[in-house]
Amino acid sequence: MRLEMIRNRRNAVQKFLKKDIADLLRSALDYNAYERAEGLLLEQEMICCYELIGKFVTCMSSDHIRNLCKQRDCPVECKEAIQSLIHAAARFSDLPELRELRTLFTGKFGNSLELYISKEFVEKLRQDLPSKEMKIQLLHDVAQEFSIEWNSKALEQRLQSPPQLHESS
C-alpha cells in the first residue's frame, strides 16, 4: 500500500512538471522549459525505480518468503528480485519494509546474490545528468502531448551560443 501511495504522489509531481513545461513552451519560454526538463527526466527515472521495486516485491509474496526461509539455497527465479530489494533498502528510506527484507535476506543468503542485481535498476538509480538531446526530446514529447506547435531550432541555436548570452536574456 505504501508503495502505491508513493507512486501516486510521484506521478502527480510528474504531471505537474509536465504541465509546467507545457505552459513555458506555450509562452515561448523555451530556455526555461529546457532548464526544467532535467527535473522531469530525473522524476521519471525515480518513478521507474519504484515500478521496478513493485515488480520485485510482487515476486516475493508472503508465502514465497516463508518458503524461502525453509530452503537452503535461493531459487533462481528469485535471485534478481531479492538482491535488487537488498540494494534498494539503503536507497529508499520512504520504504522501511525494505530494510526488514534486507535483514531477512542477508541473514539467510549473505552476499551470495550480489551478482544477480537488476542491471536496469542500478542504471536507473545512477541518475546521471540528462544530455542536451534527452532534454530537447522531452520538450518535443511534452509539446506533442499537449498539442503545442513547437520548433526546437531557436533553442538549439541558443544552447550553442556562449554562456554569457544566456544570462543577459
Side-chain angles (χ1 to χ4, degrees), residues 88-123:
R91 290 153 184 83
F92 293 85
S93 60
D94 52 353
L95 294 170
E97 301 86 351
L98 293 179
R99 289 192 298 278
E100 295 169 22
L101 289 175
R102 177 182 59 197
T103 301
L104 175 72
F105 293 144
T106 54
K108 177 72 177 165
F109 304 114
N111 293 331
S112 66
L113 302 175
E114 285 182 358
L115 298 175
Y116 296 96
I117 190 165
S118 165
K119 306 233 182 311
E120 178 186 7
F121 187 59
V122 171
E123 186 67 30

Side-chain angles (χ1 to χ4, degrees), residues 30-87:
D30 299 6
Y31 190 74
N32 299 66
Y34 175 81
E35 289 179 329
R36 302 254 173 104
E38 182 176 319
L40 178 54
L41 286 165
L42 293 176
E43 188 65 34
Q44 289 174 338
E45 291 293 305
M46 287 307 294
I47 288 170
C48 287
C49 287
Y50 281 100
E51 288 172 1
L52 286 169
I53 289 172
K55 183 179 106 179
F56 300 140
V57 167
T58 301
C59 292
M60 303 285 104
S61 68
S62 56
D63 289 338
H64 212 103
I65 291 174
R66 276 193 285 279
N67 290 336
L68 279 171
C69 291
K70 294 175 188 173
Q71 296 177 6
R72 196 172 133 248
D73 294 323
C74 182
V76 174
E77 68 273 7
C78 298
K79 288 181 177 183
E80 181 183 67
I82 289 173
Q83 184 55 42
S84 298
L85 290 171
I86 290 170
H87 187 73

